[in-house]
Amino acid sequence: MNWDIIQGKWKQLKGDAQTKWGELTDDDLDRAEGDREKLVGVVQERYGIAKDQAEREVDEFYHKHSS
């Protein structure tokens, strides 16, 4: 996966990320900086879910926004 696409458009995609994960704060999204691993960690932490589930959700988000 090429996360450069997401990182390059992160400022525009933050709103979409907040819509998908409504419990994430602006600070959470700023901390993630469009980086996959950081976003997985933030989603996992905020929602109290397993890492593999957070990875699946983040990968779905990527696929939706990388085209």
Side-chain angles (χ1 to χ4, degrees), residues 11-41:
K11 288 185 182 195
Q12 294 90 346
L13 294 176
K14 280 173 47 177
D16 290 342
Q18 193 143 35
T19 298
K20 178 166 179 65
W21 298 289
E23 293 183 25
L24 297 185
T25 65
D26 285 336
D27 288 342
D28 290 335
L29 295 169
D30 288 341
R31 190 172 44 154
E33 301 172 327
D35 179 89
R36 181 184 182 274
E37 289 305 312
K38 290 179 184 179
L39 185 56
V40 166

Side-chain angles (χ1 to χ4, degrees), residues 37-52:
E37 289 305 312
K38 290 179 184 179
L39 185 56
V40 166
V42 168
V43 169
Q44 182 182 5
E45 173 186 310
R46 191 59 71 187
Y47 283 88
I49 59 176
K51 184 176 183 180
D52 63 332

